[in-house]
């Protein structure tokens, strides 16, 4: 049985998965277009981080970063660090994680969840996953700017 729980991004196996994630991002996108976070950036109070595990074995991770409005109230969230281990791909782990994060966003009364992903073919499965769950393309949000290597998406909750 796969369980999804809050976890520590600095945990050994998680840190290794995040390092692989960053390495893949830099291998597929220009450095200025890589917006993935390392374990320390995922450990701040505005980020909630989860892992998916089965019998203690890491299958994947994902995070939700709160985006604060000018009034200081979090109304939006940003999906971050969605990653599945190579051995777990094709098992629905990303779908389970995405649903878990969206449910958390709803319980926090967020109005929308946004994300940034790449335009390269490497990111096509991620874009399809998000589209299947109702995400649509949107303009850059937060501190992002228009970038030919980025696709911005949102889901109104």
């Amino acid at each position: 049985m796969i369980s999804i729980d809050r976890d520590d991004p600095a945990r050994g196996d998680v840190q290794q998965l995040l390092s692989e994630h960053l390495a893949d991002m830099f291998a597929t996108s220009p450095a200025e277009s890589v917006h993935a976070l390392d374990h320390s950036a995922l450990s701040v109070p505005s980020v909630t981080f989860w892992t998916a595990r089965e019998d203690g074995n890491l299958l994947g991770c994902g995070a939700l970063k709160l985006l604060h409005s000018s009034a200081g109230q979090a109304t939006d969230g940003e999906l971050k660090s969605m990653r599945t281990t190579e051995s777990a791909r094709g098992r629905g782990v990303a779908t389970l994680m995405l649903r878990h994060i969206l449910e958390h966003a709803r319980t926090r009364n967020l109005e929308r969840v946004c994300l940034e992903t790449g335009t390269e073919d490497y990111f096509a499965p991620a874009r399809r996953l998000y589209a299947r769950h109702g995400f649509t393309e949107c303009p850059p949000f937060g501190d992002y700017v228009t970038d030919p290597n980025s696709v911005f998406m949102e889901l109104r909750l």
Side-chain angles (χ1 to χ4, degrees), residues 77-140:
E78 180 181 3
L79 189 64
K80 299 296 293 183
S81 300
M82 286 281 293
R83 178 72 173 202
T84 303
T85 63
E86 192 170 326
S87 63
R89 292 193 184 132
R91 294 186 53 200
V93 174
T95 295
L96 291 172
M97 181 63 72
L98 181 59
R99 287 179 179 159
H100 184 86
I101 293 171
L102 293 175
E103 184 57 34
H104 178 80
R106 287 181 180 97
T107 64
R108 301 241 7 192
N109 294 316
L110 297 183
E111 295 174 7
R112 72 178 179 153
V113 173
C114 306
L115 64 91
E116 179 277 337
T117 191
T119 58
E120 295 85 0
D121 289 343
Y122 176 86
F123 299 99
R127 293 190 305 267
R128 285 192 301 270
L129 170 73
Y130 301 132
R132 275 195 316 270
H133 287 87
F135 282 82
T136 57
E137 288 192 29
C138 67

Side-chain angles (χ1 to χ4, degrees), residues 17-68:
L17 181 61
L18 292 171
S19 293
E20 291 170 10
H21 181 58
L22 280 168
D24 282 350
M25 298 305 98
F26 282 104
T28 56
S29 300
E32 65 273 10
S33 297
V34 174
H35 304 288
L37 302 177
D38 65 13
H39 73 278
S40 61
L42 291 166
S43 297
V44 299
S46 62
V47 175
T48 305
F49 182 84
W50 296 270
T51 56
R53 294 182 181 271
E54 184 176 51
D55 299 323
N57 297 312
L58 180 63
L59 302 177
C61 63
L64 182 68
K65 177 182 178 183
L66 296 178
L67 302 177
H68 295 283

